[in-house]
Amino acid sequence: MESSAAIDRLSALAQPSRLAVFRLLVRAGPEGIPAGEIAAAVGLAPNTLSAQLTILVQAGLLSSAREGRVIRYAARPDALSELIVYLMEDCCGGRPEICQPVQEAAARATCCPPAKSRSRRPLRA
């Protein structure tokens, strides 16, 4: 990820209503939510919400899909993951204990329980 993309994503999230919209859409999952329902849920006027959604889409944090006269928005978890990886990529300088709090926080996330370890079979040549 380039630093300009990271700055765009951080800037997009650095505003209370945009952060609320993003968190709402993260909770909604991949099916997303129609714009009108987002406006009602976060208490924004449609024109204000439209501007906020545009910023989040341009930053790559949301996707949108038109369904007739309705536009449905969904969070892009991959974009958030890229941002987190970019921020933490060189965090520990060979000292893994520095990154431990971040790993523990990820393990506590209620939406993403750790995957059960699976035994991997060796690749066949």
Side-chain angles (χ1 to χ4, degrees), residues 11-102:
S11 295
L13 294 172
Q15 196 276 344
S17 60
R18 289 193 298 266
L19 182 59
V21 167
F22 183 75
R23 289 176 53 95
L24 173 71
L25 291 170
V26 166
R27 287 189 301 272
E31 60 276 352
I33 302 175
E37 291 180 29
I38 297 169
V42 296
L44 291 175
N47 60 338
T48 302
L49 176 66
S50 179
Q52 306 296 22
L53 290 169
T54 297
I55 291 168
L56 290 164
V57 168
Q58 287 176 344
L61 292 165
L62 302 183
S63 62
S64 64
R66 182 169 288 281
E67 298 172 351
R69 294 178 51 193
V70 174
I71 301 176
R72 181 177 292 272
Y73 291 88
R76 291 191 51 229
D78 60 317
L80 184 59
S81 295
E82 290 170 1
L83 178 59
I84 292 168
V85 168
Y86 175 79
L87 293 172
M88 300 300 297
E89 209 165 37
D90 300 316
C91 74
C92 64
R95 295 176 33 216
E97 70 277 4
I98 294 172
C99 294
Q100 186 174 354
V102 174

